[in-house]
Amino acid sequence: MKTKYVCTFLSKRMMSSVSPSATQVQQPLNYVRGHRVDPSNTDKNQRFSLISPATGEVIREIQSSGGNDIDQAVDVSRKAFKSWSQISAFERGKVLRKAAEIIRGRSEELARTEVLDTGKPIWEARYDIQGCADTIEYYGGLAVNHNGDFMKLDSGCFAYTVREPIGVVGGIGAWNYPFQMASWKSSPALACGNTMVFKPSPLTPLTAVMLAEIYKEAGLPDGCFNVIQGETITGQVLSSHSGIDKMTFTGSVPTGSKIMEACAKDIKHVTLELGGKSPLIIFSDCQIDNAVKGAMLANFSNQGQVCSNGTRVFVERKIVDVFLEKLKARTKAMVIGNPNDENTTVGASINQQQAEKVLSYIKGAKQEGANIVYGGERIIPQDASLKNGYYLSPCILSDCRDDMTVVKEEVFGAVMSVLTFDTEEEAVKRANNSEFGLAGGVFTRDLTRAHRVASNMEVGSLYINNYNVYPVGVPFGGYKKSGLGRENGADTLDYYSQIKSVYVEMNDVDCPY
Ligand code: NAD
């Protein structure tokens, strides 16, 4: 495991897990006007179960927020916007930097809660939380520098531009990185002076509310960051609400498309972080052990449930045998089991439905002619308490072709398709033959080739000799159907603000009438 993936900030008081009866799990999960509240909606058909992926245990029932709850959250955000947008950027930044400090102090509790929600291994959850603290601190620092320009014009006239907040931002997140999505969206939005109503995925509702409490403790005025829980209908009502000025969404392409449609009605701003089917090209001159590790990072982190995963692994034909041999040996050594154990490297799939979807892609691949080099099976851990969780062994497929379903569609599970190629031109052409364009990677020791390939790939993020690293400050987002807008970088602030241009006349008005 690389040092950068090992948590370096463990809290003084380590815990082994968060109990389903813990306060942050059982309290109300909506957060409006600075408090946890139950939704006013009582429709019994709009309830869902929170299930622990690790154990399959039903932890609690959650009531979805209805129209009135959303109206209220939007209204509260609108009122809070009036004052938050007028506070100096320096003061807003201070609140964010304080929130980052609180997150670091509560990192173990946050990481353990994230494990309960997602089933991901604890070391990954710690890494995510650390990254979120960094992101929030980063935007806290940038807030004061996000200003406009000054332009000197003819005859003493001049113009200046001001970066102004957009208003009330609606955020909707997916389930694979719940705390990260809430942080990546809220911190740049708040830094710019916007307020937010955030809806986490119904599969992972817990940590966004904890973030709301942390913001409050850091000094964020009530009403600036609100959380509502719910499923599809709640998301639909939020994204089509006339009181929302911008939507920021992370999830699948079909849902992203619907949200964009909903935003079109009121010409709302929109940021979309969507799916991918990213290519990783491995040339024969690479450092092969690094390439194998890179391919694993590109496919097997977070049970393969990562949007930017490089799931189409193109390996130059002359090294494919040795590549597969080394890859199989390392993959076999991965430890599947209790996500709260320190040694676990493969945790639970998010739920049965997702696990079955992954297994059906593997079955289909086999029928279409792929060879299963390793894995792709449901594993029942020895620990009896985990028997109802869905644990899959990471899967390596060889003999893949570009026309196979598993090679064309996003699986969102730990399934690596290995394809072979002979020339650089061929590899790049095939890599670009996708409706997605989120990320890509190349392993080679030829510097010129690395940059040439980077320049020719149609993707938003390109890794040379590594994969799936997200240092704070490096923009992240997709080309093609993988999305619109960027997160995690300084540019992101542009997507949470709008430019006002002010022209200043210094002379008499020159008018032909
Ligand atoms: P999803 O699209 O099913 O759901 C995402 C969110 O949208 C959930 O909160 C859901 O309740 C809500 N939703 C569903 N239908 C809606 C509608 N019609 N209107 C409004 N909201 C609606 O996605 P998912 O299964 O939660 O997440 C997996 C997907 O997310 C994958 O495609 C993955 O690639 C993508 N993803 C992308 C990124 C990125 O940054 N590009 C990051 C993580 C995940």
Side-chain angles (χ1 to χ4, degrees), residues 49-66:
S49 303
L50 174 61
I51 297 172
S52 156
T55 62
E57 178 193 355
V58 176
I59 294 173
R60 61 172 289 187
E61 295 299 312
I62 298 172
Q63 177 72 52
S64 281
S65 308

Side-chain angles (χ1 to χ4, degrees), residues 173-176 199 235 249-252 255 273-275 307 410 412 476:
W175 44 263
N176 54 341
K199 187 193 91 61
F249 170 76
T250 299
S252 62
T255 310
E273 292 289 353
L274 308 178
C307 53
E410 185 184 45
F412 221 55
F476 180 77

Side-chain angles (χ1 to χ4, degrees), residues 81-256:
F81 175 72
K82 283 195 184 133
S83 47
W84 179 246
S85 57
Q86 297 306 315
I87 292 172
S88 76
F90 179 70
E91 290 301 323
R92 292 199 297 262
K94 265 198 333 203
V95 171
L96 292 173
R97 295 197 301 278
K98 177 72 184 166
E101 191 187 314
I102 298 169
I103 289 169
R104 292 196 179 99
R106 291 179 60 184
S107 58
E108 186 65 10
E109 178 198 2
L110 285 161
R112 294 286 174 184
T113 311
E114 198 82 324
V115 171
L116 182 69
D117 243 1
T118 61
K120 67 174 66 185
I122 180 61
W123 66 269
E124 284 197 48
R126 289 186 187 127
Y127 180 70
D128 295 351
I129 302 295
Q130 179 185 24
C132 292
D134 291 349
T135 302
I136 293 173
E137 183 177 9
Y138 172 74
Y139 286 116
L142 279 189
V144 77
N145 285 322
H146 192 241
N147 296 307
D149 280 326
F150 174 84
M151 282 143 282
K152 193 165 177 291
L153 304 170
D154 280 350
S155 313
C157 299
F158 62 93
Y160 60 91
T161 60
V162 193
R163 279 264 163 206
E164 296 190 337
I166 298 172
V168 179
V169 178
I172 296 182
W175 44 263
N176 54 341
Y177 290 94
F179 194 71
Q180 186 200 73
M181 276 167 215
S183 305
W184 278 25
K185 293 183 187 310
S186 62
S187 54
L190 292 169
C192 291
N194 304 285
T195 54
M196 181 172 259
V197 180
F198 184 77
K199 187 193 91 61
S201 164
L203 303 180
T204 52
L206 299 176
T207 48
V209 201
M210 294 170 79
L211 178 63
E213 290 177 324
I214 288 167
Y215 277 144
K216 178 170 174 140
E217 190 184 334
L220 186 71
D222 291 352
C224 289
F225 181 68
N226 304 286
V227 179
I228 51 162
Q229 305 288 347
E231 299 184 283
T232 302
I233 298 174
T234 308
Q236 284 170 331
V237 175
L238 180 65
S239 49
S240 55
H241 199 290
S242 59
I244 295 283
D245 302 297
K246 175 192 166 91
M247 280 303 300
T248 171
F249 170 76
T250 299
S252 62
V253 172
T255 310

